[in-house]
Amino acid sequence: MNKRRKLDRIRQIEKDLSIHPLRDGAVAAFILFAIACLSTILLYRKASETYTHQLHKNLYDLTRSVATLIDGDLSKTFVAKDQESGPEYQAAVHKLRRIISAVPHIRYIYTVILIKDAVHFILDSSPPGDWDGWLILAGRGFG
């Protein structure tokens, strides 16, 4: 009898552990879906981080390249708005405008200085009177 009870117990365990295709398929599908979502999120975050890093690096490199074309000592001499029409100012700005025409995704190049916690624009690559709403900053010009 003891042997029969053991055999019945084994059969009961086998019955309890039987395969349920709908339940097992749903669990497997959920696990696969969760893994796919998680991997997609991680991939998106890494791609976004890489893209942002590369964008900042390219912008930094471009800024350093443009900075080599600007004479900082000459820029310090531009202290009045009426100097914008002068030949020195126009020659300095012409370099910036050439860069803008060579690199289509650059819209403006400006140089600024900080005087008593106020930002002052010095070299302005946009044509005189140009305003299309892209730059919304206070303090445009020399003062």
Side-chain angles (χ1 to χ4, degrees):
M1 195 67 127
N2 194 15
K3 194 174 190 180
R4 179 128 175 111
R5 219 185 305 182
K6 283 183 181 179
L7 190 56
D8 288 341
R9 179 73 181 139
I10 291 172
R11 286 187 183 137
Q12 182 63 35
I13 291 172
E14 285 177 349
K15 187 177 178 184
D16 291 342
L17 295 177
S18 66
I19 296 175
H20 300 281
L22 186 60
R23 180 200 65 194
D24 296 345
V27 169
F30 176 76
I31 291 171
L32 285 174
F33 181 73
I35 290 171
C37 288
L38 182 63
S39 63
T40 300
I41 289 168
L42 293 175
L43 181 64
Y44 172 80
R45 289 183 70 195
K46 184 62 178 174
S48 178
E49 178 183 303
T50 302
Y51 176 79
T52 302
H53 174 74
Q54 190 64 35
L55 179 69
H56 288 163
K57 182 185 178 310
N58 289 345
L59 186 58
Y60 178 75
D61 292 343
L62 180 63
T63 303
R64 287 182 55 107
S65 299
V66 170
T68 63
L69 300 174
I70 297 170
D71 183 353
D73 294 330
L74 179 64
S75 292
K76 290 178 186 177
T77 64
F78 302 128
V79 293
K81 187 117 176 108
D82 61 346
Q83 287 179 296
E84 284 186 359
S85 59
E88 296 88 7
Y89 182 88
Q90 289 301 319
V93 170
H94 178 70
K95 293 176 187 177
L96 302 180
R97 289 181 182 151
R98 284 184 45 207
I99 294 169
I100 289 173
S101 65
V103 185
H105 66 273
I106 296 177
R107 195 158 176 95
Y108 299 109
I109 301 175
Y110 292 95
T111 63
V112 296
I113 60 171
L114 189 63
I115 301 174
K116 296 180 184 176
D117 294 330
V119 175
H120 298 272
F121 289 85
I122 302 300
L123 297 177
D124 177 358
S125 64
S126 62
D130 180 43
W131 176 255
D132 61 4
W134 273 67
L135 183 67
I136 304 173
L137 292 174
R140 187 186 176 303
F142 291 100

